[in-house]
Amino acid sequence: TERPRRCHILPGKFSITCLPVHLTVSPAAERLRYILGDDEETMPTPTLFTEMDTLQHEGDELEWRESARWVKFEEKVEEGGERWSKPHVSTLSLHSLFELRTCLQTGTVLLDLEGYSLPQIVDDIIERQIEEGLIGAELRDKISFVLLRKHRHQTKKPIHRSFADLGKSGSGGSECSIFKTVPVSPSIPTHIVHNSRSMNDIAETPSTDQLKNKFMKKIPRDAEASNVLVGEVDFLEKPFVAFVRLSQATTLGGLTEVPVPTRFLFVLLGPLGKAKSYNEIGRAIATLMVDDLFSDVAYKARDREDLIAGIDEFLDEVIVLPPGEWDPKIRIEPPKKIPSADNRRKSVFSLNELGQMNGTAGGRGPVSEDEVMPAPHELGEELAYTGRFCGGLILDIKRKLPWYPSDFYEGFHIQSISAVLFIYLGCITNAITFGGLLGDATDNYQGVMESFLGTALAGTVFCLFSGQPLIILSSTGPILIFEKLLYEFSKNNGIDYMELRLWIGMHSCVQCIFLVATDASYIIKYMTRFTEEGFSSLISFIFISDAIKKMVGAFKYYPINIDFKSDYVTAYKCECLAPDPSKSILGVEHVGTSLNVTALDWTQLSKKECVKYGGSLLGKSCKYVPDLALMSFILFFGTYTMTVTLKKFKFSRYFPTKLRKLISDFSIFMSIMTFVGLDMLIGLQTPKLIVPTDFKPTRAGRGWFVMPFGKNPWWVYVASSVPALLVTILIFMDQQISAVIVNRKENKLKKGCGYHLDLLWVGVLMVACSFMGLPWYVAATVISIAHIDSLKMESESSAPGEQPQFLGVREQRLTGILVFVLTGVSIFLAPILQFIPMPVLYGVFLYMGVASLGGIQFWDRIKLIMMPAKHQPDFSYLRHVPLRRVHLFTLVQIVCLAVLWILKSTFLAIIFPVMILGLMVIRKMLDMVFSQHDLAWLDDILPEKEKKKKEDEKNTTKKDKKKGKGGDDSEDVSVLVVMQDLAYSFLLYSHCPCHAL
């Protein structure tokens, strides 16, 4: 067509284009494989900062003005010249890429040029053009003069500047505001200006403004620059094109907006009348230079043909946007997640000899991420079966020992403070809750004091010596049920509860050590996402439901007076009635005073005094506390809402990045402090956190240590091994499932884990807690996930428009140790902690439960059931598995979750770990209902199925290779190659401004 530039394209991973296909046997593809494959061990290429300057005419004055820049995405100078545009994906015209390809074919290409200054580089470019006969020698001075004009870079200073800024002279620097003007000296005639080589206007050293430019924070330290200069002049009849790569990156004074050394230089000067076309070619080369694959080619290219091969590869991967269905003026927002360039490099090297096409037009292209099966279920070498005595434990110790020093000094970060405060509040709330429930279940043999002390002891030791210190230990619901049943059994049969519990703990410890010695933890590799998500969802729902139940309980204790009517306010009263004379004397004697009861004016006594002296309260308003339930709800829901809002604040548009991140990290602490202050300001008697103040056992008469002999018959010591087996299964499943969830590959943990070492310490701590009469502890899934989330790290230096990348988790032991030390010290912090309202902590519990559901595929699939198909998110498994099969799989998980919920709510909660094993059996049965393809996307393939699948694929590959040796397709391939070359010859040499060369 006459104007093919109307067909727009943008960089992508694969293409649907009208271009001739590139076959794997094409010279360009083979050349590219050779370019990128010959230096596998070299350092990665630096990030390129690309700046495009256009030539501007101000009367007789010429100057280069910055018009756009790229780090990863394009930023344009807005028409008003006052600010940069938002970063956006570069949308290029198809015609501009063909013109660029022609320019590189016919222009000057200088690779590894020795350059130390811009004038010298310009002289070398012009000299080469003259030698090649591309320009005449008479144009040397004019081209040199134009290329050495001053560069005016866009600054972020507004047009309304202070008088001090307006008074500053701009003669000393090369970077200045676009609003400044540089007048031509009236004493120099125009014809001398255009023919003088002595008046170089470009600064030789970076200016102060360049060195202070804040944009440097967005550019990696090892970055290099690529400069693009395009413009039109009146003395050229055909384009002047040059592509230069310097042998060493060199800082060229005022050429670049920021003081980054320049490695590449692209120059395009042409005749008048085609400025828009030149600008589009400049944008095309600038976009190519920040493309990961092409930048590798540019650094490693040996000649002109290598660069052209890089453009051909880029053309194979672009996506065409039809002009009639898309407005080119729309700026496409940068994606939240940028596709990895490694996949594109792999697609280049995966080309085989079977004639597989490199594009998608006319045949099947390189396999995209959507067509590749998901990553197999891998839990790492930590769960490998060694077959040796304590083999897995020894490997865990060897794996973790080198990281031990870094586990401490890497914890010294401001992010750790917010994590400690968050997890600490969660732990003390959990300790108080379970301590109170244990006290009710065991007649105060274990209570809040034991819960605090046990949490501090077990948690500190575990964080010091475990294989995965990010795991947080806590009491769990099944353990509470077991303790309650054990106490009732002991009481009904005349057996000492504490001594029996001690022997169960010792037997369970021995059984845990046996499991560690035999590498029994390797069976966890059969636990797929189906089981993990069922378990973690159950624990999350328990946290959510408990928080809501406790909040609803506040409405029961402090009910809202629904029957209140303002017109009957005179009827609402509360009177203090004198006690019965026969009981009043006893009441006064109990108080310990000789007060004469008959002399009291009972109507004038306060509520406390009335109860103290044995009186009774009568009236509708006696038990009514105004607004207490409503205030509790405000504290509860306000804490949760504010925490969620501040946690997302790092994605906000307001304030600098560091401040947003700081607010996000301390979101929970800020929310708690806000609503604690609100509660103190209002002054209502909301329920507060109650912390024990005396360091003594909850039950009077019991000591801190339990003796193993003397209170029970001898057979109890042996028979206790039976209930100990149930406890061992419970501990094993709870601990290892939580560890698998924490050690997910999505968390990008780099220091490894230690399933065997963790289980060993849990068993040892059971014995220690049993001897001291403290609760038993195991990994707490929700609190551990919250610990992980509070320590997530993101990239600090990101290109404009690029979302911060998740780097991993701050793996260390310090936060966990501080949390549990503070928990132990909390006994002495009662005067401070008593100001924290319980509804605020319930709000923290609710947040932890909801936040732990994030990223669980099961929860996403539940929400899909209520969504119309057109509104469903573009999940990868929805592309490969029919929706009805997805819903069926989700329904099976919902039924399993409902059964687990019912069991945990009854006395059958003691068999909870057995039901977790039951989930693994149900998952095994799903192999008969769902295909392995569907299970690979919705869950994980079981290890033996995965092995069988790999063998099948291996056999299939061998058959394909035997078929490929026949060479039946060689004739078709050669015909397509010839057709491709003819088509390219026609497209590349039509309607190109550089064709005149």
Side-chain angles (χ1 to χ4, degrees):
T1 60
E2 185 175 355
R3 294 181 61 83
R5 65 174 62 92
R6 293 186 60 191
C7 191
H8 290 266
I9 60 176
L10 59 95
K13 294 188 299 180
F14 57 92
S15 62
I16 304 176
T17 71
C18 54
L19 301 179
V21 295
H22 283 263
L23 301 182
T24 59
V25 294
S26 67
E30 291 293 338
R31 180 182 289 271
L32 200 64
R33 293 174 64 186
Y34 184 69
I35 296 169
L36 301 179
D38 54 0
D39 297 325
E40 295 181 357
E41 298 181 358
T42 57
M43 295 294 291
T45 55
T47 301
L48 280 178
F49 164 73
T50 303
E51 175 182 328
M52 187 174 80
D53 295 353
T54 55
L55 190 63
Q56 301 292 328
H57 299 257
E58 293 290 342
D60 290 334
E61 176 68 19
L62 296 177
E63 62 183 7
W64 294 97
R65 289 186 181 177
E66 185 177 12
S67 59
R69 66 185 180 191
W70 289 256
V71 178
K72 281 189 178 294
F73 301 101
E74 181 177 5
E75 293 178 275
K76 292 182 178 179
V77 176
E78 301 287 16
E79 292 182 2
E82 297 184 16
R83 65 168 191 168
W84 286 102
S85 69
K86 287 185 61 177
H88 55 276
V89 178
S90 298
T91 51
L92 310 173
S93 65
L94 188 62
H95 191 65
S96 66
L97 282 173
F98 288 135
E99 290 175 331
L100 173 63
R101 193 178 188 277
T102 303
C103 288
L104 290 180
Q105 281 183 325
T106 55
T108 297
V109 175
L110 297 175
L111 301 179
D112 296 328
L113 176 68
E114 296 290 340
Y116 54 86
S117 68
L118 186 60
Q120 176 254 320
I121 295 172
V122 169
D123 285 343
D124 289 345
I125 294 174
I126 296 174
E127 191 65 34
R128 176 63 67 89
Q129 289 259 347
I130 294 174
E131 291 177 0
E132 295 177 352
L134 299 177
I135 61 171
E138 69 280 1
L139 297 177
R140 180 196 299 269
D141 293 344
K142 294 182 178 181
I143 294 176
S144 178
F145 177 82
V146 170
L147 293 179
L148 296 178
R149 293 302 85 209
K150 173 176 285 188
H151 289 254
R152 298 184 178 277
H153 304 293
Q154 170 69 12
T155 65
K156 293 187 177 180
K157 294 180 181 179
I159 188 170
H160 303 291
R161 294 176 294 159
S162 64
F163 289 103
D165 290 334
L166 292 173
K168 292 180 180 178
S169 173
S171 60
S174 61
E175 181 180 2
C176 56
S177 174
I178 199 169
F179 306 107
K180 297 179 183 178
T181 58
V182 182
V184 180
S185 174
S187 61
I188 303 176
T190 303
H191 70 278
I192 296 179
V193 172
H194 283 288
N195 289 279
S196 173
R197 296 185 59 213
S198 61
M199 297 182 62
N200 295 340
D201 206 6
I202 185 76
E204 297 181 358
T205 57
S207 67
T208 304
D209 290 337
Q210 283 177 283
L211 297 174
K212 293 182 179 180
N213 195 333
K214 295 181 180 180
F215 189 71
M216 279 296 295
K217 296 179 181 179
K218 297 291 185 180
I219 303 175
R221 293 182 180 179
D222 61 344
E224 296 177 351
S226 169
N227 290 93
V228 178
L229 307 177
V230 295
E232 55 180 1
V233 291
D234 56 1
F235 55 81
L236 286 177
E237 297 180 356
K238 56 184 179 180
F240 174 91
V241 182
F243 179 88
V244 179
R245 183 183 69 198
L246 301 179
S247 58
Q248 295 294 331
T250 306
T251 302
L252 300 178
L255 182 63
T256 310
E257 173 191 356
V258 286
V260 177
T262 296
R263 172 73 75 164
F264 298 95
L265 186 66
F266 178 82
V267 179
L268 171 58
L269 296 177
L272 296 175
K274 294 185 178 180
K276 184 177 180 181
S277 179
Y278 302 150
N279 188 69
E280 289 300 311
I281 295 174
R283 290 183 61 247
I285 185 62
T287 304
L288 278 167
M289 295 307 296
V290 296
D291 179 72
D292 291 327
L293 193 60
F294 185 84
S295 64
D296 286 350
V297 175
Y299 270 97
K300 298 177 182 179
R302 297 152 300 181
D303 52 34
R304 185 196 311 268
E305 296 302 321
D306 289 347
L307 294 173
I308 295 173
I311 295 179
D312 291 343
E313 174 65 23
F314 186 85
L315 285 168
D316 281 343
E317 297 187 76
V318 296
I319 298 174
V320 174
L321 297 177
E325 301 174 11
W326 171 73
D327 185 0
K329 296 179 181 179
I330 296 176
R331 291 172 177 170
I332 300 177
E333 293 282 341
K336 292 183 178 180
K337 184 178 180 181
I338 302 175
S340 174
D342 294 336
N343 295 327
R344 294 176 58 197
R345 294 187 181 94
K346 289 178 183 178
S347 68
V348 173
F349 291 104
S350 64
L351 307 180
N352 51 51
E353 299 177 0
L354 301 178
Q356 192 176 22
M357 299 183 180
N358 197 26
T360 58
R364 180 179 177 83
V367 179
S368 68
E369 288 183 1
D370 293 329
E371 296 171 353
V372 177
M373 293 293 287
H377 181 58
E378 295 179 359
L379 293 176
E381 60 180 6
E382 295 88 352
L383 292 176
Y385 181 71
T386 62
R388 302 189 303 272
F389 180 77
C390 293
L393 177 63
I394 294 172
L395 291 177
D396 283 349
I397 296 174
K398 289 181 179 180
R399 186 182 303 110
K400 298 300 295 185
L401 203 57
W403 298 105
Y404 199 75
S406 67
D407 284 344
F408 288 93
Y409 64 75
E410 288 184 2
F412 291 95
H413 191 272
I414 191 171
Q415 187 183 21
S416 301
I417 300 176
S418 64
V420 168
L421 294 174
F422 173 32
I423 304 303
Y424 164 67
L425 290 172
C427 282
I428 63 171
T429 307
N430 207 40
I432 290 172
T433 302
F434 278 98
L437 294 174
L438 275 172
D440 295 338
T442 63
D443 196 15
N444 286 332
Y445 274 102
Q446 299 175 72
V448 176
M449 175 58 71
E450 287 79 8
S451 183
F452 266 79
L453 185 60
T455 301
L457 173 65
T460 304
V461 173
F462 186 84
C463 287
L464 273 172
F465 304 111
S466 67
Q468 184 48 271
L470 296 176
I471 291 176
I472 300 296
L473 296 189
S474 176
S475 297
T476 60
I479 290 180
L480 175 64
I481 298 295
F482 180 85
E483 295 276 15
K484 182 178 181 179
L485 295 176
L486 184 64
Y487 176 76
E488 292 177 353
F489 172 80
S490 303
K491 184 178 179 180
N492 295 334
N493 292 276
I495 298 175
D496 185 77
Y497 163 69
M498 298 301 289
E499 187 177 290
L500 173 61
R501 185 176 177 276
L502 169 60
W503 278 96
I504 291 176
M506 288 192 293
H507 281 296
S508 184
C509 174
V510 173
Q511 292 166 1
C512 286
I513 293 175
F514 175 78
L515 293 176
V516 171
T518 55
D519 291 350
S521 296
Y522 85 97
I523 67 171
I524 299 298
K525 67 181 181 180
Y526 294 97
M527 190 173 296
T528 64
R529 187 190 296 147
F530 178 86
T531 307
E532 293 174 24
E533 292 185 343
F535 178 80
S536 59
S537 298
L538 176 67
I539 303 301
S540 299
F541 287 142
I542 289 175
F543 263 68
I544 295 171
S545 65
D546 285 350
I548 295 175
K549 282 180 181 178
K550 293 180 186 300
M551 193 60 247
V552 172
F555 284 81
K556 293 181 180 179
Y557 288 115
Y558 310 105
I560 297 176
N561 193 357
I562 302 176
D563 298 327
F564 175 80
K565 295 181 181 179
S566 59
D567 191 41
Y568 298 151
V569 68
T570 54
Y572 298 122
K573 60 182 179 178
C574 181
E575 295 181 355
C576 180
L577 301 180
D580 187 273
S582 61
K583 299 180 181 179
S584 61
I585 298 175
L586 296 175
V588 173
E589 289 177 353
H590 177 72
V591 173
T593 177
S594 58
L595 188 64
N596 187 1
V597 176
T598 58
L600 286 175
D601 185 1
W602 292 92
T603 60
Q604 300 300 319
L605 295 180
S606 66
K607 179 180 177 180
K608 290 184 179 179
E609 290 174 339
C610 182
V611 176
K612 179 180 179 181
Y613 298 139
S616 59
L617 299 170
L618 180 64
K620 291 185 177 181
S621 61
C622 290
K623 296 183 179 181
Y624 173 60
V625 181
D627 302 325
L628 202 58
L630 180 60
M631 185 63 190
S632 298
F633 179 78
I634 291 173
L635 296 176
F636 166 73
F637 192 71
T639 302
Y640 167 76
T641 306
M642 185 175 179
T643 301
V644 172
T645 303
L646 293 182
K647 202 69 179 176
K648 297 179 179 179
F649 192 73
K650 62 182 175 183
F651 304 112
S652 171
R653 301 174 186 268
Y654 304 103
F655 303 113
T657 304
K658 289 186 177 180
L659 181 59
R660 294 201 309 267
K661 191 174 186 303
L662 192 65
I663 292 174
S664 177
D665 289 340
F666 284 87
S667 58
I668 296 160
F669 179 73
M670 293 172 65
S671 301
I672 292 174
M673 290 297 101
T674 299
F675 286 94
V676 167
L678 178 63
D679 178 72
M680 295 175 66
L681 181 65
I682 300 299
L684 291 176
Q685 297 298 315
T686 52
K688 300 295 193 294
L689 182 65
I690 301 175
V691 182
T693 55
D694 298 329
F695 186 73
K696 62 181 181 181
T698 304
R699 184 183 177 91
R702 63 148 287 197
W704 280 118
F705 292 96
V706 180
M707 301 307 296
F709 302 102
K711 295 185 178 181
N712 289 329
W714 65 268
W715 58 268
V716 174
Y717 308 143
V718 179
S720 57
S721 61
V722 177
L725 181 61
L726 191 60
V727 175
T728 301
I729 297 175
L730 187 153
I731 294 294
F732 179 82
M733 299 303 296
D734 264 14
Q735 176 65 37
Q736 302 299 48
I737 293 178
S738 299
V740 167
I741 294 172
V742 168
N743 295 317
R744 281 174 178 167
K745 60 183 179 181
E746 291 87 354
N747 293 329
K748 296 184 179 180
L749 302 182
K750 299 177 181 178
K751 296 185 178 181
C753 49
Y755 293 94
H756 312 280
L757 185 59
D758 290 348
L759 185 60
L760 173 67
W761 278 110
V762 169
V764 172
L765 288 170
M766 281 192 67
V767 173
C769 291
S770 299
F771 268 104
M772 296 183 66
L774 305 178
W776 293 324
Y777 293 92
V778 72
T781 307
V782 171
I783 302 181
S784 299
I785 293 174
H787 193 204
I788 290 281
D789 290 338
S790 64
L791 292 170
K792 286 185 175 180
M793 299 183 295
E794 293 180 339
S795 56
E796 295 182 0
S797 176
S798 57
E802 182 184 14
Q803 296 289 341
Q805 301 298 310
F806 173 58
L807 302 178
V809 178
R810 200 175 302 280
E811 300 178 63
Q812 36 71 51
R813 300 177 185 270
L814 204 58
T815 54
I817 293 173
L818 290 177
V819 164
F820 293 112
V821 169
L822 285 174
T823 303
V825 176
S826 296
I827 301 171
F828 308 103
L829 298 178
I832 299 175
L833 297 177
Q834 67 181 359
F835 291 105
I836 302 178
M838 288 303 295
V840 169
L841 298 181
Y842 299 155
V844 174
F845 259 49
L846 178 64
Y847 170 76
M848 294 171 69
V850 173
S852 61
L853 287 175
I856 296 181
Q857 189 196 94
F858 174 43
W859 180 240
D860 293 335
R861 285 189 273 106
I862 289 177
K863 293 186 288 185
L864 285 178
I865 298 176
M866 297 174 284
M867 291 184 190
K870 63 180 179 180
H871 296 305
Q872 292 175 353
D874 188 20
F875 293 130
S876 58
Y877 52 84
L878 291 179
R879 299 182 181 184
H880 302 274
V881 183
L883 188 59
R884 63 182 184 279
R885 305 292 289 176
V886 174
H887 290 336
L888 177 60
F889 189 84
T890 306
L891 183 61
V892 172
Q893 281 189 289
I894 293 175
V895 171
C896 292
L897 181 62
V899 172
L900 288 176
W901 184 271
I902 294 172
L903 286 176
K904 76 93 187 172
S905 303
T906 64
F907 69 95
L908 294 176
I910 198 170
I911 65 170
F912 177 77
V914 179
M915 290 305 302
I916 297 297
L917 291 174
L919 286 180
M920 300 173 64
V921 176
I922 294 174
R923 168 60 185 87
K924 179 72 175 177
M925 296 171 61
L926 289 179
D927 285 339
M928 298 182 291
V929 180
F930 294 89
S931 66
Q932 295 302 307
H933 172 271
D934 292 352
L935 290 174
W937 285 103
L938 295 174
D939 186 41
D940 294 306
I941 298 178
L942 293 174
E944 65 270 15
K945 296 285 183 181
E946 183 181 333
K947 183 178 179 182
K948 182 180 179 181
K949 182 180 177 183
K950 288 182 178 180
E951 291 177 355
D952 293 342
E953 290 178 351
K954 187 176 180 181
N955 295 333
T956 304
T957 304
K958 289 181 179 180
K959 293 178 181 179
D960 290 341
K961 287 185 177 180
K962 289 180 180 180
K963 291 180 180 180
K965 290 180 180 179
D968 297 335
D969 297 332
S970 58
E971 185 175 348
D972 295 336
V973 169
S974 60
V975 171
L976 286 172
V977 170
V978 174
M979 293 175 64
Q980 165 196 343
D981 293 339
L982 290 173
Y984 263 118
S985 300
F986 173 77
L987 287 173
L988 296 179
Y989 291 96
S990 62
H991 307 287
C992 295
C994 297
H995 178 53
L997 288 172

